[in-house]
Amino acid sequence: MAIPYVRAKPISLTVTGGVTQNFAYSGRTIMMDPRPEIAAFDYSALREDLAHVEVLLPPDAPAMYLDPAALAYALDVKEIQKVRTPLSQRERLPQIVMSAVIALPSAFEVSGDEALTIARRIARYPCGSHRVPIHIAIHNALINRHAHADIALRPMAPDGSLGLKIPDFLVRFRVNRTDPDPVEGTGWPDISWEIQETFFAERAIDLVVDPCAPVPEHHFDGDIPDHITAQWIRDQRLALRHVNVRMIKTSPTHSIEKIARGRSAVRLAELHRLCARFIDNEQDRHVQVERMLADQNIVPLSDGTEAGMPRYVTTRRLARIIERACGLIDRGERAMIAVSGSDHDAVVRQLANIQAAGDQQHEPPLILGRTLSDCAPLANILRGRNPVVGTLDMILGKPPKRARGRWRRVNLKVERDIIVPHAELIDDQRLARLILAADRTGSKLLFGHDQSRESGIVRSFLAAHIADLQRPQLSRDHEGPQAIERLLRSGLVRSAVEALADLKVLHFGAGPDFDVGSELPFAVVDGSRIEEVGDAIRTGRVRAGLVEEMDTLAGPRGEVKLSLGEWVVTTGTRGLPETLDAHQLAQIVAIDSSANWINVVRRGIVARLDFGNDPAIRPAAAISIRAARDAPRGSNFVIELADPRHVWAGLLLAANRIEHAQIYVDPSIARTHIDLVDAARRSLPAAPPSHRTLRPVNDVVVNNMLDDFDPFPELQAAEPEQALPPPVGFNEDVRHRIMKSRQTRLAYRLLHEHVSPQNADRHQNVPRSLGLCSSELTQGVILALAEQDEISDFDDTDFPLELAELEPRHWSAWELYKFELDLNLMTVRAAGWGLLPPLAPDRYRPRAAIDGPNEP
């Protein structure tokens, strides 16, 4: 599953190594340190899990640094040259790179190329316009897929030289204290969450990132203190688990607002994921989700695609706040101005010009941001007007924060200018509350919207909506059609749709033109119509003589007809060579129907597909939005917008290939470009409740749910279950098998006591238990329990083992069945596991001898 986990820490130059050692480890290779007294770093034995290694360089940087060894050598040498005090005598070692371990979705959810795209976006996002090189390595481990991103702290010039370290690059420190401490830093988990959710939306993938727990666990930034024991960590995890379960079962409003994290609504799939993490019984999970939907304070929402169940939920309080703010934005009753630019420097210049042309007699302007550093560039330009700088928490936060704001004169006044230079970084809840507060006090609002942040798709919709109403002009003379894609990624839907209409690529009313032509375009259609449209297109091309006659190849699943020169798309990894992955396009260059194989070429690499292995491919005359992203540049597209959920994704695909795409809008979606703007906004995951349709829960479903729901859950005797140690290291299917019955729960508890480090005989019990296993899964559970008390080093550079339970291995149904069988046998004395205590002598009763055939 996709999780928003990123752990970042600096890599320093030490006596024993530096960035060369880090690059060698993540790249699973051999590298030499610049210092001859240090031996070579050899991690080639770990190369089995290496999936990809690359270096991302700034534009115009020398190509020689694409070699990780060359880049590592240059970074280490530059830092060694700056050393004056011996490293063994320094209290603070010089830092070279910021190393981030990024959790990536598993291979069952995204392909290798898609995981690489996510890793690149997460690594590049905090760099902004800084010209820093980045080293990326992706590991496909057994139970998780993750990336190591090493971001240099020095910029690289076009000639390859490394400059001075960038101050306050990824973290900012207080300077008015004796011991500087960080006050602002990169919000890595938030970046990971937003980038993954945006990626799923643009590829039209129905996935969600695992939501954070309402009450999260404590995370240690460095070494674990000595007083923290393994037993304390387990007790804290178990206690927090019970707190989260209690919150889910008692307060739907609180739970939804917690996991919303500033958004106006959450997807229903996130509620299912939240319940699946903490509630073992599958029926109980569905009951809890239905109870949330039936609560009077919960508002179910739908985008009109499903008649039975909603896809989004929110609370009445959030819906009311967001709706009132949207009303003020649409009506424009109060003075509310927004400026938008391709970068923050352009936004700051526009804000400064507006302030210079305004009235200079009233109160000094108030500059607000998510953090104080967001206000610094504009405050420096307006320092002649003595602006007051603060954060939104100083107005809308908790009482201590508001008290600090009053001390700094951060307050709303009549006719006072309130400037938010980074509105795209403010979540919808806080921005809506600011708009309502300014409306009550009569303050003037001035928003700045930075398009380079590409925010507003999965969060911060209101900021993009305000900027979109101002209709920022496109600088076509300098940027051309590429600006349309930036507008769509920034949430400025109206401006982008109007630009697409000017380019004559939008077609309303008439159906898609799937007539074959000499250029053989790809038809991008809804998933339910791919097979129908694809067969029609291929038949027409054969009849028109544009492709050769189809050859028939036989596979285990039946016959497949393919033509030489046509394109195919992979639907999975079954029967494919290592050079091909799922959701990729390839062109057929050779067919041998007698030998039952074809040759395909992708990016210049030829691969052979043997149909005896049942390769997961299909013809690519009609494809999905996800597969179309892999098409070569210059390919022609006919895009049909028929699914309300994927309107924005289809427009974004067309903007990315603007010179080779034509869009046909189904009449059920829109009939004019004005209607298309509303449809595109509704398709965004961050769309407010007022843009969606209220979907009341079916009364029959509610009544059935209430009949099965116990109104007094606190009276249930659950004390024995709370003592059960939580399973570790595996996915929910494993945990559900353990919790399936009283017998399996007893077996797991006895197994934990039998092989845990608290048992003095565990050295003999562990190998004996492993020998009795019939399943590899059972062996893994035993090993996990035997090592449960061992605390891993939180400073290591690899992925922490604690996240194994969040990124599971996919176990087959057969393995799960054998695991359940092992659990049942553990409580049978004749099976030989030896987990049950021996019977008392007085309980033994020898069976009476049978004297006759009719003896009972």
Side-chain angles (χ1 to χ4, degrees):
M1 71 191 72
I3 58 175
Y5 177 87
V6 181
R7 185 189 64 194
K9 67 174 185 178
I11 301 298
S12 303
L13 183 67
T14 65
V15 178
T16 58
V19 73
T20 302
Q21 181 181 10
N22 190 64
F23 281 18
Y25 173 78
S26 59
R28 304 305 200 230
T29 185
I30 305 173
M31 289 189 184
M32 296 293 298
D33 194 273
R35 292 163 289 185
E37 65 272 13
I38 299 179
F41 303 107
D42 186 0
Y43 295 99
S44 57
L46 306 175
R47 197 171 182 83
E48 289 185 1
D49 67 346
L50 182 65
H52 182 80
V53 176
E54 69 175 6
V55 173
L56 304 179
L57 293 177
D60 303 328
M64 62 174 291
Y65 292 112
L66 291 174
D67 182 9
L71 178 62
Y73 184 88
L75 291 172
D76 273 343
V77 168
K78 182 66 176 181
E79 211 63 45
I80 292 172
Q81 293 174 352
K82 298 291 183 179
V83 173
R84 297 295 180 263
T85 304
L87 296 175
S88 58
Q89 302 177 12
R90 294 189 58 159
E91 294 183 0
R92 185 179 182 275
L93 297 173
Q95 299 175 354
I96 310 176
V97 299
M98 180 65 71
S99 179
V101 181
I102 305 169
L104 299 174
S106 66
F108 304 101
E109 297 174 326
V110 299
S111 64
D113 286 351
E114 291 172 337
L116 177 60
T117 302
I118 294 174
R120 287 171 176 169
R121 292 183 182 181
I122 295 175
R124 281 173 166 165
Y125 185 88
C127 300
S129 59
H130 296 299
R131 296 172 49 90
V132 292
I134 304 172
H135 175 262
I136 294 179
I138 296 181
H139 297 166
N140 279 336
L142 180 63
I143 58 176
N144 57 63
R145 172 194 274 172
H146 58 277
H148 294 259
D150 302 307
I151 305 172
L153 301 180
R154 296 179 182 272
M156 177 175 284
D159 60 355
S161 60
L162 296 170
L164 300 175
K165 285 186 180 178
I166 305 173
D168 296 341
F169 179 20
L170 300 172
V171 64
R172 295 174 176 83
F173 295 87
R174 285 191 179 96
V175 296
N176 56 351
R177 293 190 175 188
T178 306
D179 298 326
D181 58 330
V183 292
E184 296 178 19
T186 301
W188 289 101
D190 293 335
I191 292 174
S192 176
W193 180 90
E194 184 169 6
I195 287 177
Q196 290 188 73
E197 287 281 1
T198 304
F199 180 84
F200 296 154
E202 77 176 45
R203 301 293 175 104
I205 305 175
D206 291 330
L207 289 177
V208 296
V209 181
D210 202 32
C212 296
V215 183
E217 298 180 8
H218 178 78
H219 296 274
F220 297 95
D221 295 332
D223 295 331
I224 300 179
D226 295 335
H227 67 278
I228 302 298
T229 62
Q231 184 62 39
W232 183 90
I233 294 178
R234 283 199 305 273
D235 293 342
Q236 291 297 313
R237 287 180 175 176
L238 191 59
L240 290 176
R241 178 185 176 86
H242 294 325
V243 171
N244 284 294
V245 171
R246 190 181 308 112
M247 182 178 295
I248 293 172
K249 291 188 174 183
T250 57
S251 178
T253 302
H254 198 188
S255 301
I256 291 176
E257 291 187 356
K258 276 283 188 178
I259 65 175
R261 299 173 66 87
R263 292 175 289 163
S264 60
V266 300
R267 280 193 263 187
L268 185 61
E270 296 182 58
L271 292 184
H272 284 285
R273 291 293 319 132
L274 179 68
C275 293
R277 188 194 304 183
F278 295 106
I279 300 176
D280 299 309
N281 186 273
E282 184 175 359
Q283 182 179 2
D284 192 15
R285 294 202 302 266
H286 289 290
V287 167
Q288 295 304 326
V289 173
E290 292 177 353
R291 184 183 64 85
M292 291 182 183
L293 296 178
D295 191 278
Q296 62 178 356
N297 293 319
I298 303 303
V299 181
L301 303 169
S302 174
D303 50 13
T305 58
E306 298 180 14
M309 285 294 290
R311 296 189 66 245
Y312 296 86
V313 293
T314 186
T315 64
R316 292 191 181 277
R317 188 180 72 89
L318 291 182
R320 183 168 57 252
I321 293 175
I322 301 297
E323 184 176 359
R324 291 173 56 193
C326 287
L328 292 175
I329 294 171
D330 295 335
R331 292 192 301 268
E333 295 179 356
R334 301 297 308 175
M336 192 182 306
I337 303 175
V339 298
S340 183
S342 58
D343 53 43
H344 189 58
D345 292 338
V347 173
V348 169
R349 289 194 298 269
Q350 295 182 65
L351 294 175
N353 293 337
I354 293 175
Q355 278 292 296
D359 186 8
Q360 305 291 327
Q361 303 299 324
H362 51 69
E363 291 279 342
L366 173 62
I367 305 177
L368 296 177
R370 185 186 57 173
T371 58
L372 291 177
S373 61
D374 294 340
C375 313
L378 183 60
N380 292 333
I381 296 179
L382 300 179
R383 57 181 178 270
R385 298 199 59 189
N386 299 319
V388 179
V389 179
T391 64
L392 265 73
D393 288 337
M394 295 180 182
I395 294 178
L396 309 172
K398 296 181 179 179
K401 293 284 187 180
R402 295 202 301 269
R404 180 175 175 82
R406 289 192 295 270
W407 178 76
R408 295 173 62 105
R409 295 183 296 119
V410 178
N411 50 14
L412 304 181
K413 297 181 180 180
V414 178
E415 300 298 325
R416 185 178 194 179
D417 289 348
I418 311 299
I419 309 175
V420 184
H422 269 296
E424 76 282 350
L425 299 180
I426 310 301
D427 59 79
D428 288 343
Q429 292 186 26
R430 286 193 292 179
L431 196 61
R433 293 171 59 193
L434 176 64
I435 292 174
L436 296 178
D439 180 68
R440 289 193 300 267
T441 58
S443 303
K444 296 182 179 180
L445 288 174
L446 184 58
F447 296 105
H449 184 268
D450 182 4
Q451 299 174 17
S452 64
R453 295 286 182 175
E454 297 182 355
S455 181
I457 306 306
V458 296
R459 61 167 56 174
S460 304
F461 175 88
L462 290 183
H465 186 47
I466 297 170
D468 199 21
L469 292 180
Q470 308 294 328
R471 301 192 182 190
Q473 297 295 323
L474 294 178
S475 54
R476 293 187 176 88
D477 297 337
H478 302 284
E479 297 180 281
Q482 291 77 13
I484 302 177
E485 182 179 2
R486 189 184 68 241
L487 291 174
L488 284 172
R489 291 186 178 276
S490 303
L492 304 180
V493 178
R494 172 181 292 185
S495 304
V497 170
E498 290 178 351
L500 289 173
D502 293 340
L503 295 177
K504 309 299 182 182
V505 298
L506 297 177
H507 305 276
F508 299 92
D513 185 10
F514 289 143
D515 293 338
V516 295
S518 58
E519 297 179 348
L520 300 180
F522 291 102
V524 183
V525 297
D526 184 27
S528 61
R529 302 188 63 228
I530 286 179
E531 185 175 355
E532 173 192 352
V533 175
D535 292 342
I537 292 176
R538 297 175 69 219
T539 303
R541 288 175 179 174
V542 173
R543 291 175 179 175
L546 298 176
V547 296
E548 296 186 6
E549 290 292 334
M550 297 183 184
D551 294 326
T552 302
L553 298 99
R557 300 174 186 265
E559 295 182 348
V560 180
K561 293 184 178 181
L562 298 172
S563 300
L564 184 65
E566 78 169 322
W567 290 80
V568 293
V569 58
T570 58
T571 58
T573 58
R574 183 188 67 252
L576 298 182
E578 295 182 356
T579 56
L580 289 178
D581 203 351
H583 313 294
Q584 293 180 345
L585 291 170
Q587 191 173 20
I588 300 176
V589 294
I591 297 180
D592 190 338
S593 57
S594 59
N596 212 31
W597 57 260
I598 63 173
N599 282 349
V600 298
V601 60
R602 181 178 183 272
R603 297 179 181 175
I605 301 177
V606 179
R608 173 162 297 183
L609 305 181
D610 186 356
F611 275 75
N613 298 329
D614 190 21
I617 64 170
R618 60 171 174 79
I623 54 178
S624 64
I625 295 176
R626 182 179 189 178
R629 285 283 177 174
D630 190 64
R633 303 300 300 186
S635 301
N636 297 302
F637 292 101
V638 176
I639 304 173
E640 179 188 31
L641 299 183
D643 191 340
R645 297 178 300 171
H646 303 151
V647 174
W648 176 81
L651 294 175
L652 185 65
L653 173 63
N656 183 259
R657 312 293 181 95
I658 194 65
E659 297 177 354
H660 305 277
Q662 292 294 320
I663 305 174
Y664 291 85
V665 185
D666 190 271
S668 62
I669 300 297
R671 297 182 180 273
T672 63
H673 73 276
I674 298 176
D675 297 337
L676 184 59
V677 171
D678 296 334
R681 285 173 178 166
R682 285 194 300 269
S683 67
L684 297 178
S690 57
H691 284 58
R692 304 195 186 278
T693 304
L694 177 63
R695 179 70 64 183
V697 183
N698 193 320
D699 294 338
V700 177
V701 177
V702 175
N703 292 334
N704 293 337
M705 180 272 296
L706 292 176
D707 291 339
D708 297 333
F709 179 66
D710 187 357
F712 304 104
E714 299 298 333
L715 300 181
Q716 297 178 358
E719 289 301 325
E721 299 300 330
Q722 294 179 359
L724 182 66
V728 296
F730 301 96
N731 62 4
E732 296 151 8
D733 290 336
V734 180
R735 193 177 69 204
H736 298 160
R737 297 281 175 156
I738 295 173
M739 300 297 180
K740 187 173 183 179
S741 65
R742 184 172 60 181
Q743 184 176 359
T744 56
R745 293 195 294 267
L746 173 63
Y748 177 76
R749 185 183 297 109
L750 293 175
L751 181 64
H752 178 271
E753 297 172 355
H754 193 64
V755 300
S756 63
Q758 289 86 355
N759 194 324
D761 299 330
R762 76 181 185 99
H763 296 290
Q764 295 82 16
N765 296 339
V766 171
R768 182 172 176 274
S769 300
L770 292 175
L772 294 173
C773 297
S774 64
S775 167
E776 180 187 355
L777 175 56
T778 312
Q779 296 177 359
V781 172
I782 293 174
L783 293 176
L785 293 176
E787 300 175 358
Q788 191 173 6
D789 283 350
E790 297 180 3
I791 302 177
S792 60
D793 185 7
F794 278 67
D795 284 337
D796 59 357
T797 56
D798 209 345
F799 206 54
L801 297 178
E802 287 76 11
L803 280 190
E805 57 184 337
L806 298 182
E807 184 67 15
R809 172 180 172 181
H810 179 75
W811 296 100
S812 64
W814 176 240
E815 284 290 330
L816 292 171
Y817 172 77
K818 291 193 296 183
F819 172 62
E820 184 180 350
L821 182 62
D822 286 338
L823 289 176
N824 291 324
L825 289 176
M826 290 178 189
T827 57
V828 178
R829 298 181 188 276
W833 283 83
L835 304 185
L836 294 174
L839 288 174
D842 57 346
R843 294 189 59 186
Y844 175 72
R845 295 291 186 271
R847 187 173 182 181
I850 300 177
D851 295 334
N854 296 327
E855 188 72 23

